């Protein structure tokens, strides 16, 4: 049978109080489902930083256009279509797949760019009708709680599985911590219990790039005649892309080569920055052209304040918070866990996934840590479906005993890691 979205749209979930103590009078959550609900087959997919609820493509082009809107690309539109769909790893002829845009984002769920209800008592009333920086600070815990509210709205109780990659993996871990009795299986891909200092530093620089843009205007850039801080957001996006790639993949894809005629020119790619008099003497390299290309359309589909809010949420997350250790935080979870990591991912490392595997095992949860040999870096979980799909498919069906799952063991144990499979070069790394 062919799976089409069974439901899509925006659910109004009523007043929502965030972990910070602030609230919004009516949290709206944009979501999409694929497949048919049979009461026991729900897979919740948690998107990454700039992703959306549009996890997979609809067979009907007009439905795609209706639910996804124009101007979206990259992780906004069908961002995991190679994994989710009929006959794919998360098979929508077998599972009822739910994906929701997280609070603070900008694809239909209430966030800084959303229209602000009239009559709110705010200390500094903005002179526009959007939330802007009056929107409450968001944490990953809020994403999980909002998803639970949405699932209640949809009539869904227990989940077959929660699956997420990158910060979406943190979201999945929070499900095991906060709602351990609601989930049978957790899949956390290319993620960690918390960011390390290097990633925190790069996120801080990215946020400063946005705030340094004069058009940011303290976050109040909404309204007629006010330009968006596109240059700052573009620079922030470029910093993010560098984090997603490995040294080996960048060398293979770009090396030190100068950009060809088909690439953006230096002038087009300089993001409106003042000219550098000596630049004409030096080559405009392919790696620069790539970064400029990736940043070019990002501001058309993403909100700068949302980028600030979501990176703050990712930076703040600590699985052990309130419990002392990761093992204590996961101690009540009695389902099964799969950790997927990639050898060249320095954003979320193999060692960090090994530590998570140890934490799950400390509570006697059947756990597998499947290590994929790849030089794509953090992007691998999105661009290597041929390596992510088989262990994911088998885990959903059979748990840690799935045939395609190779358990790399716990921290410091390399004995069971798979042999290198030398993933092919992909034409596009446009992810984030």
């Amino acid at each position: 049978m062919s799976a089409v979205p069974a439901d899509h749209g925006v659910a109004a979930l009523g007043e929502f109080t965030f972990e910070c103590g602030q609230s919004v009078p009516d949290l709206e959550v944009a979501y999409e489902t694929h497949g048919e609900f049979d009461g026991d087959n729900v897979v919740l997919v948690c998107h990454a930083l700039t992703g959306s609820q549009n996890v997979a493509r609809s067979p009907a082009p007009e439905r795609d256009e209706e639910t996804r809107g124009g101007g979206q690309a990259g992780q906004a539109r069908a961002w995991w279509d190679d994994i989710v769909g009929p006959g794919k790893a998360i098979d929508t002829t077998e599972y009822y797949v739910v994906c929701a845009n997280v609070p603070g984002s900008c694809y239909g769920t209430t966030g800084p760019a959303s229209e602000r209800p009239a009559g709110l008592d705010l200390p500094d009333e903005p002179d526009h009708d959007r939330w802007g920086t009056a929107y409450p600070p968001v944490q990953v815990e809020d994403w999980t709680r909002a998803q639970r509210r949405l699932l209640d709205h949809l009539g869904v109780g227990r989940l077959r599985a929660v699956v997420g990659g990158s910060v979406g993996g943190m979201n999945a871990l929070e499900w095991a911590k906060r709602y351990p009795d609601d989930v049978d299986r957790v899949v956390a891909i290319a993620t960690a219990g918390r960011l390390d200092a290097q990633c925190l530093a790069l996120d801080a620089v990215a946020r400063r790039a946005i705030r340094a843009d004069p058009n940011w205007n303290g976050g109040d850039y909404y309204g007629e005649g006010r330009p968006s801080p596109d240059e700052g957001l573009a620079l922030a996006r470029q910093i993010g892309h560098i984090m997603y790639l490995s040294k080996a993949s960048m060398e293979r894809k770009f090396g030190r080569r100068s950009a060809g005629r088909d690439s953006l020119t230096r002038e087009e790619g300089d993001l409106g920055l003042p000219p550098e008099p000596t630049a004409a003497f030096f080559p405009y390299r392919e790696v620069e052209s790539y970064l400029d290309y990736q940043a070019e359309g990002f501001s058309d589909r993403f909100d700068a304040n949302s980028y600030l809010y979501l990176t703050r949420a990712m930076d703040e997350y600590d699985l052990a918070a309130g419990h002392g250790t990761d093992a204590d935080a996961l101690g009540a979870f009695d389902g099964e866990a799969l950790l997927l990591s990639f050898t060249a991912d320095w954003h979320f490392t193999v060692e960090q996934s090994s530590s998570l595997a140890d934490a799950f095992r400390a509570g006697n949860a059947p756990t597998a840590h499947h290590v994929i040999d790849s030089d794509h870096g953090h992007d691998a979980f999105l661009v290597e479906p041929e390596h992510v799909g088989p262990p994911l498919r088998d885990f959903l069906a059979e748990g840690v005993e799935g045939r395609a799952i190779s358990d790399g063991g716990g921290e410091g144990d390399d004995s069971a890691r798979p042999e290198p499979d030398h993933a092919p070069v992909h034409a596009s790394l446009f992810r984030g």
Side-chain angles (χ1 to χ4, degrees):
M1 112 183 134
S2 176
V4 299
D7 197 3
H8 69 285
V10 178
L13 302 180
E15 184 176 5
F16 186 87
T17 301
F18 293 82
E19 292 289 303
C20 67
Q22 300 177 34
S23 63
V24 295
D26 189 12
L27 179 68
E28 295 187 333
V29 174
Y31 69 93
E32 185 169 283
T33 70
H34 293 257
E36 296 183 3
F37 179 43
D38 69 9
D40 189 37
N41 68 334
V42 181
V43 176
L44 175 68
V45 177
C46 306
H47 67 72
L49 188 70
T50 62
S52 74
Q53 68 275 21
N54 306 135
V55 64
R57 185 178 295 113
S58 164
E62 64 276 9
R63 175 66 63 83
D64 267 344
E65 202 59 35
E66 174 191 351
T67 60
R68 293 167 172 84
Q72 297 183 11
Q75 269 204 28
R77 172 177 272 178
W79 57 268
W80 225 14
D81 192 59
D82 289 327
I83 294 292
V84 178
K88 298 176 183 177
I90 305 179
D91 190 345
T92 52
T93 67
E94 181 175 355
Y95 302 112
Y96 180 68
V97 178
V98 180
C99 188
N101 191 218
V102 299
S105 189
C106 52
Y107 292 123
T109 294
T110 307
S114 301
E115 188 173 338
R116 186 181 76 256
L120 294 181
D121 184 17
L122 299 175
D124 297 308
E125 186 74 21
D127 60 354
H128 52 76
D129 64 352
R130 306 302 177 95
W131 275 101
T133 54
Y135 190 77
V138 173
Q139 298 183 63
V140 172
E141 292 87 340
D142 298 314
W143 301 350
T144 303
R145 291 172 49 237
Q147 289 161 346
R148 179 65 271 175
R149 289 265 292 268
L150 172 67
L151 292 169
D152 292 342
H153 172 83
L154 296 175
V156 172
R158 191 172 177 85
L159 301 174
R160 171 73 65 87
V162 178
V163 181
S166 192
V167 70
M170 292 176 164
N171 191 167
L173 292 172
E174 184 63 20
W175 267 91
K177 172 184 175 180
R178 184 172 291 264
Y179 302 114
D181 296 330
D182 291 358
V183 187
D184 290 329
R185 291 170 183 165
V186 169
V187 184
I189 306 171
T191 196
R194 62 203 55 82
L195 287 189
D196 62 21
Q198 185 177 40
C199 292
L200 291 173
L202 289 167
D203 281 348
V205 174
R207 286 191 296 270
R208 290 174 186 182
I210 292 172
R211 291 163 46 219
D213 189 319
N215 291 335
W216 185 62
N217 192 35
D220 291 329
Y221 50 84
Y222 306 103
E224 188 175 353
R226 290 184 176 174
S228 300
D230 294 346
E231 294 168 16
L233 180 58
L235 287 171
R237 180 62 166 176
Q238 290 182 339
I239 292 169
H241 268 287
I242 295 169
M243 296 171 71
Y244 306 148
L245 304 179
S246 71
K247 187 178 282 286
S249 66
M250 292 186 79
E251 181 63 28
R252 184 189 66 237
K253 190 172 179 67
F254 312 113
R256 293 176 52 81
R257 296 184 296 274
S258 297
R261 291 185 178 182
D262 293 336
S263 302
L264 289 171
T265 67
R266 186 192 303 273
E267 291 74 19
E268 290 172 328
D270 263 344
L271 305 176
L273 299 174
E276 180 187 353
T278 61
F281 180 79
F282 301 100
Y284 177 59
R285 300 191 187 277
E286 282 191 1
V287 67
E288 295 179 84
S289 178
Y290 165 81
L291 292 173
D292 290 334
Y293 174 76
Q294 301 302 350
E296 185 184 22
F298 184 62
S299 58
D300 293 334
R301 71 172 180 90
F302 212 78
D303 177 64
N305 280 333
S306 283
Y307 203 87
L308 296 177
Y309 273 73
L310 300 186
T311 57
R312 286 285 189 193
M314 178 169 61
D315 288 5
E316 181 63 19
Y317 187 69
D318 186 344
L319 176 61
H323 291 266
T325 68
D326 290 348
D328 291 339
L330 298 170
F333 177 70
D334 62 359
E336 299 187 50
L338 173 65
L339 291 307
L340 283 176
S341 63
F342 303 86
T343 54
D345 184 356
W346 59 270
H347 188 6
F348 290 115
T349 66
V350 169
E351 290 72 24
Q352 287 171 311
S353 284
S354 292
S355 178
L356 288 172
D358 288 340
F360 276 107
R361 290 190 179 106
N364 296 317
T367 302
H369 175 204
H370 184 95
V371 183
I372 296 173
D373 186 84
S374 167
D375 70 358
H376 272 123
H378 188 58
D379 253 350
F381 85 96
L382 290 164
V383 302
E384 295 190 21
E386 68 276 22
H387 299 123
V388 173
L392 177 55
R393 180 199 304 272
D394 284 4
F395 179 74
L396 293 179
E398 304 170 41
V400 296
E401 300 301 323
R403 186 178 65 171
I405 297 170
S406 174
D407 182 19
E411 194 166 10
D413 182 359
D414 297 332
S415 60
R417 290 187 185 175
E419 292 298 317
D421 46 24
H422 302 296
V425 176
H426 289 258
S428 171
L429 293 176
F430 183 40
R431 303 293 191 271

